[in-house]
Amino acid sequence: MKLKRLIFLILCFMSNSCAFNKTLVEKDLSVKEAKDIVYLIECIKTNTNVLNFIEWKGSNKNESPISFEHKGRLAYFNLNRDEKGIFHQEINYFKNSFHKNIFTNDTLNRYSITSQTSFRVLMSEDKLSIYFFMINPDNVKTWVLSNGNTVYTP
């Protein structure tokens, strides 16, 4: 009977510590991503080289959708044109059979595209975080695909 209780306590402790470790890893990852975003936006604004990140190869800016690729991973920035201009409509990410809609713009006038707008996709070297950027002279919009499934924007 004592052996069963001991095994039960050990199993309870192990299951609790695994969940605790997972929470710590997720918290550490979000702190790391917040620091990464600050660093990346600073590099983009000052037009300096980004170190320790993988930059995806992009297509011609005049094509729609604007595509980015890195070793079988694809990202598309879809644009929409109407009588008021060109607008950023959505971002889609693909890896093998996995598809994730990163961003959808329901109000098209919110993200206007000008001749100075550019897009970039960067990935952390550990490949846990992918950063999608829409860059205008006055601001930088950022979306993050974190650890394969969670999407957020600061």
Side-chain angles (χ1 to χ4, degrees), residues 14-138:
M14 287 175 53
S15 65
N16 287 340
S17 66
C18 291
F20 179 72
N21 287 338
K22 183 178 178 189
T23 304
L24 282 179
V25 168
E26 288 173 357
K27 188 179 278 189
D28 289 345
L29 187 60
S30 63
V31 169
K32 176 192 165 297
E33 287 171 342
K35 290 177 182 178
D36 287 350
I37 290 168
V38 170
Y39 168 73
L40 292 169
I41 289 176
E42 186 61 31
C43 288
I44 288 169
K45 286 182 176 179
T46 60
N47 201 23
T48 57
N49 286 336
V50 177
L51 303 174
N52 302 321
F53 285 86
I54 301 166
E55 182 149 11
W56 293 20
K57 184 180 179 207
S59 68
N60 187 345
K61 182 183 171 189
N62 297 324
E63 295 176 16
S64 183
I66 299 169
S67 63
F68 288 85
E69 186 268 333
H70 178 74
K71 295 184 178 179
R73 299 172 189 246
L74 296 168
Y76 295 102
F77 289 83
N78 294 310
L79 309 179
N80 192 349
R81 181 184 307 262
D82 67 9
E83 65 277 353
K84 296 177 188 171
I86 303 172
F87 301 94
H88 179 215
Q89 185 171 6
E90 64 183 359
I91 304 171
N92 289 298
Y93 169 77
F94 299 89
K95 180 185 176 197
N96 300 325
S97 62
F98 178 76
H99 169 249
K100 182 76 175 176
N101 189 310
I102 305 300
F103 162 77
T104 300
N105 182 9
D106 296 331
T107 58
L108 291 179
N109 58 1
R110 186 169 171 199
Y111 294 99
S112 179
I113 305 295
T114 68
S115 61
Q116 296 177 328
T117 303
S118 63
F119 298 92
R120 286 176 82 175
V121 178
L122 294 144
M123 182 169 55
S124 61
E125 285 187 332
D126 60 10
K127 298 179 180 157
L128 292 177
S129 306
I130 303 172
Y131 304 89
F132 303 86
F133 294 98
M134 178 180 154
I135 306 159
N136 283 312
D138 58 340

